[in-house]
Amino acid sequence: MNKKTLRDVDLKGKKVIMRVDFNVPVKEGVIKDDTRIKGALPSIKYVLEQGGSLILMSHMGRPDEKGITGDTTMKIVADYLSKMLEKPVVFVPDCANADAEVAAMKPGDIVMLENTRYHKEEQAKCKQKEGESDEDFKARKSALKEQQKELAKKLASYGDIYVNDAFGTAHRAHASTAVITKYIDTSVAGFLMEKEIEYLGSAVENPVRPFVAILGGAKVSDKLAVVKNLLSKVDTLIIGGGMAYTFLKAQGKQIGNSLCENDQIEYANEMMALAKERGVNFLLPIDNIAADKFDPNANTQVVEGNIPEGWMGLDIGPKSIELFSNAIKNAKTVVWNGPMGCFEMEKFNKGTFGVCEAVAEVKANGGISIIGGGDSVAAVNKSGQAPKMSHVSTGGGASLEFLEGKELPGVVSLNSK
Ligand code: AMP
């Protein structure tokens, strides 16, 4: 990686303000999955061991859309972290008002700020309101951007060094993820960020071949740019899940009531032509588990070829599992994003779990397997195969944007080596 990391700076006696991704699922005050907290521990421990003190900040949930609740406060994470580290974590109830707590810090101390998204200027999201003139909208937007700079400046004032270890939000140019770097001299990556970038970066830029990418999930339109970018990099592109049906329809197949984005059919055709032109092995399901309704207790049948009217494909079929698995097992680099079916329902989880088993063999055969965040991570965790993967990413949206070939604001803004 060409960006500086924690290893490149002297931390002794320094106050370190670190953006972490503690956006963990919480229900009624209880953390349901602590993967992201554990992911940040190497950076946290390193700063403390090197004689620094640590101010942690993160967002949790979507308080801007869904409101502030008892399950969006970072106090829950502060208490959890305190137990994990067996030392006090001082909680500050407003991220923009921590001067006193920060001034009192000594080396080895930890402060955790409240949810950065309790301040709307963290994200500075701005949409034109109905009836609002262009001029008023522009003025409102620029005022919000100024407020974002003020918040970033405030956050920067707490530390001597800024560390970004929040890969999961690295695709956002928010006050705490990117704008802050304008107001502090030293901005470096944490170890989790470094690991994510190294795995995804070398897979995409310098893959050991054969390189196989697997895409699934519900929506084609979410993954348009990814498909296009991957077609210039991979040897084989596998498409399963709900998004496969738009491609199958583009090939002239009947897909019944399966998911389909009709406005993407032309794009699907373009991509299949591009795959041919580039010599990419482009694999779609050759059979499907069709259901008579979207329901865990639906009647099902295995269908090869056309899916009858009134039925919908909710998983790939056994022959597709075999076809995909054979391509995957021979790979030296695999990147996987998106399930092969509605794996949340038992009747439709075999495709995803079958592919999961094949991906798990890649590492054992000396290759690299990368699970690119989001639902595929949930599926891999559910299948119990996570330990057999080379890397399970903590960032769904961020890893997708990375695979699209986009620069991530939270990474670009860090100091270069
Ligand atoms: P995404 O967020 O685009 O990665 O989509 C993930 C979701 O796609 C999961 O909740 C799956 O249940 C769903 N999914 C996968 N395959 C299908 C399918 N064939 N039909 C409908 N939904 C699907």
Side-chain angles (χ1 to χ4, degrees):
M1 193 172 72
N2 64 352
K3 293 293 178 185
K4 284 190 178 166
T5 74
L6 269 174
R7 251 178 258 106
D8 298 313
V9 283
D10 180 11
L11 297 163
K12 194 156 191 255
K14 298 280 166 50
K15 285 187 175 144
V16 174
I17 172 118
M18 189 188 292
R19 177 56 156 101
V20 283
D21 182 3
F22 284 172
N23 180 26
V24 290
V26 175
K27 240 187 192 156
E28 287 158 20
V30 180
I31 294 171
K32 295 291 173 193
D33 182 344
D34 64 357
T35 311
R36 286 178 160 169
I37 302 175
K38 283 188 183 143
L41 286 181
S43 294
I44 291 174
K45 286 184 178 164
Y46 183 81
V47 171
L48 302 177
E49 280 160 18
Q50 297 291 312
S53 55
L54 196 55
I55 303 124
L56 294 168
M57 59 178 169
S58 175
H59 78 283
M60 181 148 66
R62 298 195 165 163
D64 55 314
E65 289 169 15
K66 299 183 177 165
I68 294 173
T69 72
D71 285 345
T72 57
T73 173
M74 296 311 300
K75 172 88 171 59
I76 298 166
V77 185
D79 292 345
Y80 192 89
L81 188 64
S82 171
K83 276 195 199 125
M84 252 180 165
L85 296 172
E86 295 178 342
K87 64 186 296 166
V89 173
V90 175
F91 173 70
V92 180
D94 176 0
C95 73
N97 201 355
D99 289 341
E101 290 86 348
V102 169
M105 290 178 89
K106 292 185 291 299
D109 285 352
I110 311 178
V111 159
M112 169 109 237
L113 306 180
E114 180 56 289
N115 198 332
T116 50
R117 289 195 189 170
Y118 284 4
H119 284 265
K120 67 176 185 326
E121 60 270 32
E122 155 77 332
Q123 302 177 83
K125 272 191 198 167
C126 199
K127 266 196 186 150
Q128 195 160 10
K129 293 177 190 161
E130 237 184 76
E132 187 180 31
S133 71
D134 287 352
E135 215 166 79
D136 286 353
F137 171 56
K138 234 168 131 186
R140 196 163 56 84
K141 200 168 159 185
S142 102
L144 195 54
K145 285 280 170 204
E146 283 310 308
Q147 287 172 20
Q148 187 180 50
K149 286 182 196 161
E150 288 309 310
L151 177 63
K153 241 184 240 176
K154 184 78 215 177
L155 297 172
S157 75
Y158 300 146
D160 305 303
I161 293 168
Y162 169 70
V163 178
N164 194 344
D165 210 21
F167 178 73
T169 24
H171 56 315
R172 305 285 180 222
H174 293 164
S176 70
T177 63
V179 185
I180 185 172
T181 60
K182 293 192 182 131
Y183 305 103
I184 196 161
D185 289 338
T186 310
S187 300
V188 300
F191 298 136
L192 177 62
M193 179 74 96
E194 180 188 32
K195 193 169 144 204
E196 294 271 11
I197 303 289
E198 285 196 345
Y199 266 106
L200 285 162
S202 51
V204 175
E205 296 314 326
N206 209 3
V208 186
R209 295 186 182 277
F211 177 19
V212 176
I214 313 158
L215 293 178
K219 283 179 94 183
V220 179
S221 44
D222 279 359
K223 291 173 185 135
L224 297 178
V226 186
V227 174
K228 190 159 190 187
N229 193 43
L230 286 176
L231 280 176
S232 64
K233 318 239 176 227
V234 298
D235 301 292
T236 298
L237 181 61
I238 296 174
I239 296 192
M243 65 184 288
Y245 298 100
T246 303
F247 287 87
L248 291 170
K249 188 165 178 191
Q251 286 183 336
K253 305 233 163 67
Q254 277 161 33
I255 59 165
N257 292 342
S258 307
L259 271 189
C260 183
E261 287 172 73
N262 285 313
D263 55 344
Q264 302 302 339
I265 287 191
E266 206 178 309
Y267 168 82
N269 272 321
E270 272 170 37
M271 289 306 106
M272 288 189 284
L274 191 63
K276 211 168 180 185
E277 193 185 306
R278 301 231 162 111
V280 171
N281 183 24
F282 192 92
L283 298 180
L284 288 168
I286 48 173
D287 59 351
N288 297 282
I289 309 295
D292 60 353
K293 53 180 181 249
F294 190 84
D295 190 287
N297 300 314
N299 295 310
T300 62
Q301 57 172 322
V302 179
V303 179
E304 283 179 43
N306 292 329
I307 296 177
E309 261 323 300
W311 291 75
M312 60 183 90
L314 292 185
D315 195 8
I316 58 171
K319 289 191 178 163
S320 307
I321 297 177
E322 201 185 331
L323 174 75
F324 292 180
S325 297
N326 287 335
I328 293 163
K329 282 180 201 165
N330 291 321
K332 282 283 172 273
T333 307
V334 172
V335 174
W336 180 18
N337 194 303
M340 296 291 101
C342 298
F343 74 100
E344 299 92 339
M345 296 188 255
E346 209 187 326
K347 281 194 175 181
F348 311 108
N349 67 13
K350 294 186 189 56
T352 302
F353 290 170
V355 160
C356 198
E357 264 175 40
V359 176
E361 281 185 36
V362 172
K363 187 177 159 199
N365 293 336
I368 294 168
S369 51
I370 300 166
I371 315 304
D375 274 320
S376 358
V377 173
V380 168
N381 284 334
K382 212 169 153 188
S383 75
Q385 306 273 12
K388 294 186 189 161
M389 307 300 176
S390 312
H391 182 64
V392 180
S393 177
T394 51
S399 65
L400 263 185
E401 291 205 11
F402 203 98
L403 296 177
E404 282 175 27
K406 279 192 191 158
E407 286 192 318
L408 308 181
V411 178
V412 181
S413 58
L414 301 175
N415 300 153
S416 296
K417 269 189 182 155

